[in-house]
Amino acid sequence: MFDLIERNLIDKVSATEWQSRLELAACYRLVADMGWDDLIYTHISLKIPDTEHFLINAFGVAFDEVTASNLVKIDIDGKVLDSGEFEINPAGFTIHSAIHAVRNDAACVMHLHTNSTIAVASQQQGLLPLSQYAMFSMASLSYHDYEGLAVNPDEKKRLQQNLANNNHLLLRNHGALTLGETVGDAFMRMYDINRACEIQLMLQASGQASILVEQPIIDNIFKQAKVVHTGQTGGQKSWPAMMRKAYRLDPGFAK
């Protein structure tokens, strides 16, 4: 049986690392609250600023048990750098390490298995321009074909090629991946693509003909969104509110 070891690192790591730990732990708790978690599986990783080290969840810890201190510090190869007893799921970091290795702008990588993203990723046409949420995602979206469990190092090259410079990736028959310069960016992008998939499935289930948005409008959405957010991304604007929500849900994540 997994033993959830209690530890507190607030006085044992730099202020920068502690802030990273707080934000990533809050993200795990929010994902659980949204119903996006998958028992102890799937992962959210975050690069600690000014280092080549990353934070990720301990293998065996549920998302609503994650704290700033029980996150695990690793290197790009998934080697645990902490002196504690926590371990990670090496296979779980395969996808994340592939992205972190080639996308310096991707401080945070979020990979989830929500029902809606799996369903839409498994449809031949993928995500369709049926809602504003879809258009937020489609401006920077690509696909990666299913190759089985992500344990083959050779798959990393194809993941990197398929993602390219995009910030959203639908993994066929598998789920979704988003990334961002901040935790808030990755979280908001996952929020958008998950909502887009939910709405698409609802429209398809209605049996009614749906209106597809034309490509020029899709292409312009990203520019419009930047104006609305005064140069900041939606994630940067919404993340402080999400952090406050995490504290209201359970301030225990911040230990």
Side-chain angles (χ1 to χ4, degrees):
M1 187 174 86
F2 184 87
D3 183 17
L4 187 58
I5 305 157
E6 292 291 338
R7 63 177 181 175
N8 194 318
L9 300 181
I10 188 169
D11 296 321
K12 299 178 181 178
V13 298
S14 69
T16 298
E17 179 175 334
W18 184 250
Q19 184 60 35
S20 296
R21 285 176 172 275
L22 284 177
E23 294 198 26
L24 185 56
C27 189
Y28 274 100
R29 296 298 186 99
L30 290 164
V31 165
D33 181 65
M34 300 289 284
W36 297 345
D37 52 339
D38 184 11
L39 300 179
I40 61 170
Y41 305 102
T42 74
H43 307 272
I44 313 164
S45 58
L46 178 63
K47 186 176 183 181
I48 302 170
D50 303 318
T51 75
E52 293 303 318
H53 302 157
F54 304 83
L55 299 171
I56 199 166
N57 51 322
F59 195 32
V61 176
F63 279 26
D64 60 1
E65 296 176 320
V66 171
T67 68
S69 292
N70 69 27
L71 288 164
V72 183
K73 182 160 58 177
I74 57 177
D75 64 16
I76 192 64
D77 298 315
K79 179 183 177 182
V80 176
L81 303 175
D82 289 330
S83 59
E85 296 84 353
F86 292 111
E87 298 179 348
I88 70 164
N89 178 357
F93 192 59
T94 299
I95 293 173
H96 295 254
S97 62
I99 306 307
H100 284 300
V102 296
R103 290 289 298 272
N104 292 328
D105 60 323
C108 184
V109 176
M110 179 181 293
H111 169 47
L112 302 179
H113 301 157
T114 67
N115 291 347
S116 57
T117 57
I118 294 171
V120 170
S122 303
Q123 294 181 351
Q124 189 69 40
Q125 291 181 290
L127 186 64
L128 299 171
L130 294 169
S131 68
Q132 184 165 265
Y133 292 105
M135 289 180 280
F136 288 149
S137 302
M138 292 179 71
S140 183
L141 173 66
S142 52
Y143 296 83
H144 175 69
D145 288 339
Y146 188 65
E147 299 186 22
L149 296 179
V151 295
N152 181 2
D154 291 340
E155 188 177 356
K156 288 186 177 184
K157 291 183 180 179
R158 292 181 287 278
L159 274 164
Q160 294 164 347
Q161 292 167 350
N162 291 152
L163 177 64
N165 293 321
N166 293 316
N167 294 316
H168 306 75
L169 183 68
L170 281 176
L171 299 110
R172 298 289 192 182
N173 315 100
H174 186 170
L177 180 145
T178 60
L179 52 89
E181 293 183 11
T182 67
V183 176
D185 287 331
F187 180 86
M188 194 64 193
R189 285 168 178 151
M190 185 62 72
Y191 177 84
D192 286 340
I193 197 167
N194 192 69
R195 285 292 300 273
C197 291
E198 289 176 338
I199 292 167
Q200 178 168 321
L201 295 170
M202 291 174 69
L203 285 168
Q204 290 171 332
S206 75
Q208 300 296 311
S210 298
I211 301 170
L212 296 174
V213 177
E214 296 179 355
Q215 190 62 44
I217 296 177
I218 299 171
D219 294 339
N220 198 41
I221 281 289
F222 184 71
K223 294 179 182 178
Q224 291 176 328
K226 278 215 154 187
V227 171
V228 170
H229 294 300
T230 62
Q232 291 185 308
T233 67
Q236 291 164 4
K237 296 293 286 186
S238 64
W239 186 243
M242 294 299 96
M243 284 293 292
R244 293 193 297 271
K245 181 176 182 179
Y247 276 106
R248 290 195 301 272
L249 289 169
D250 179 7
F253 80 87
K255 65 180 183 180

